[in-house]
Amino acid sequence: LLDQTPDPMPAAVAYATDLEEGVVDTDRVVHAADAATATEQLGQVIDTLGTRPRARVLGQPAQIDAAPTDGGTGQLTAEAHLRVSWGLPTGTWAYDAVLPLVFTAERWKVDWRPSILHPRLTPDVQLALRTTAPQRGPILARDGAPIFSKRPVVTVYVQPRRMRSARQVTRALQRLLDIDPATLRPWIAAADPDELIEVITLRMDDYAPLRSRLQPVPGLVFRRGDRMLTPDRAFARAVLGHVGPPTAEVLDEIGFGFDADDTLGLAGLQRRFQRRLAGTPGVEVITVDGDGGVTESLHHRRPQPGEALRTTLAMGVH
């Protein structure tokens, strides 16, 4: 019977092609409903990793003797071994997976299951991706000293539920910080009552003289933190630029691995040499259960810090 059965290799190769194209053909699987499930889960992995896989069959699929069923007849099965690889921005992640095949309706078809995508996947376990931001490279003065250093700041927010009136808040911000009310009013009107609307981040030296007049304004909230800043606000600002929470445009420019919680260059040299200064994020592919808990780490690349950028600026010259 085995000698009369078609070679399962073409079916295995066709399924590997489906993996690369991101859509599983209904005719390739034993149960037609599995094609939609397979395509959905394959799509989830592609979305998670941000790329499509490469897949190839390793060697000749091994046919297995017919296994008796409850009806007393046997069904031929086979196993093909796949090498699946994903081209991540930090390098290639590759592994082997088993592709189970069943001879049914006079042809070989895939007995689909999540483990074909990765051996650790089940209906309740999925892949996820974690990234780690690298250490940003410094911009150096002519003598090699870092121009930017960590300095204390205060970020001013508006929280609608604390306000007595939006007019009172916007007028105070205009008077004390020269914030245009027209830019702030729409944000306040659209915000949830408990939302914190970021207005401005001030150096501690700039905030201190205004503290006694800003803090009594109902609706303003203040958070202390640190930012990478030049020795003073005026020092070569147009040339150097500044860093802070990225805009959508900046995130689109830098690409993979960074998000709104990271600190990136927003102008000047800090933005012009973003890729050099920002470094390469670390990547970890993990499995998570139905509750989002991490079950295993499958692939890990450490972040690579950014490179220094040396300038001809002299720190003592203003």
Side-chain angles (χ1 to χ4, degrees):
L1 181 59
L2 288 176
D3 293 339
Q4 299 172 354
T5 305
D7 185 357
M9 186 67 168
V13 171
Y15 188 81
T17 300
D18 279 0
L19 287 182
E20 294 184 344
E21 294 180 351
V23 178
V24 178
D25 193 313
T26 302
D27 292 337
R28 305 251 198 266
V29 295
V30 176
H31 305 290
D34 285 342
T37 303
T39 297
E40 180 182 358
Q41 294 202 355
L42 174 58
Q44 290 173 348
V45 177
I46 289 172
D47 289 344
T48 295
L49 300 182
T51 185
R52 289 184 180 180
R54 300 287 294 173
R56 61 185 176 92
V57 181
L58 300 175
Q60 181 67 29
Q63 294 189 38
I64 303 171
D65 290 339
T69 64
D70 293 340
T73 60
Q75 190 172 43
L76 290 177
T77 61
E79 283 187 352
H81 290 267
L82 300 179
R83 170 59 55 88
V84 182
S85 60
W86 302 82
L88 304 179
T90 53
T92 300
W93 175 42
Y95 53 85
D96 293 344
V98 174
L99 178 66
L101 299 159
V102 173
F103 189 69
T104 180
E106 302 303 317
R107 59 182 295 187
W108 287 101
K109 294 188 177 185
V110 174
D111 185 11
W112 189 85
R113 58 201 66 178
S115 60
I116 297 172
L117 297 178
H118 188 280
R120 292 292 188 268
L121 296 188
T122 71
D124 299 318
V125 174
Q126 296 182 344
L127 289 182
L129 192 70
R130 292 196 297 201
T131 59
T132 305
Q135 181 177 345
R136 190 171 180 86
I139 295 182
L140 306 177
R142 184 169 59 194
D143 61 1
I147 296 177
F148 288 78
S149 60
K150 190 176 289 187
R151 299 176 184 275
V153 297
V154 173
T155 301
V156 182
Y157 300 88
V158 173
Q159 190 171 41
R161 73 172 176 84
R162 295 173 180 265
M163 298 187 311
R164 290 179 183 167
S165 74
R167 178 179 174 82
Q168 180 187 26
V169 170
T170 56
R171 288 186 66 182
L173 291 173
Q174 182 181 31
R175 184 176 70 255
L176 299 173
L177 298 174
D178 198 27
I179 303 294
D180 184 358
T183 63
L184 193 55
R185 288 193 194 106
W187 290 99
I188 294 175
D192 293 330
D194 290 322
E195 185 176 345
L196 289 176
I197 305 164
E198 184 172 342
V199 177
I200 192 172
T201 297
L202 301 171
R203 292 170 180 259
M204 187 62 72
D205 290 345
D206 294 330
Y207 168 72
L210 300 172
R211 178 180 176 181
S212 61
R213 287 178 286 171
L214 283 170
Q215 286 206 337
V217 179
L220 296 185
V221 176
F222 308 89
R223 297 282 172 83
R224 296 193 178 202
D226 294 301
R227 288 275 177 92
M228 297 297 293
L229 300 171
T230 56
D232 63 68
R233 184 172 49 179
F235 181 74
R237 181 176 177 86
V239 175
L240 293 168
H242 59 287
V243 296
T247 63
E249 183 180 9
V250 167
L251 285 176
D252 186 59
E253 290 173 357
I254 190 64
F256 175 84
F258 294 92
D259 59 35
D261 293 328
D262 292 319
T263 297
L264 293 172
L266 303 179
L269 294 179
Q270 287 283 13
R271 185 168 179 177
R272 171 68 178 81
F273 292 91
Q274 187 87 270
R275 294 188 181 279
R276 173 175 177 170
L277 293 166
T280 303
V283 171
E284 186 176 18
V285 183
I286 57 176
T287 52
V288 295
D289 59 26
D291 295 325
V294 178
T295 58
E296 190 173 356
S297 176
L298 304 176
H299 172 76
H300 184 227
R301 288 289 180 90
R302 296 181 181 277
Q304 299 299 311
E307 299 178 30
L309 177 66
R310 192 157 189 160
T311 70
T312 58
L313 295 170
M315 294 283 283
V317 178
H318 290 260

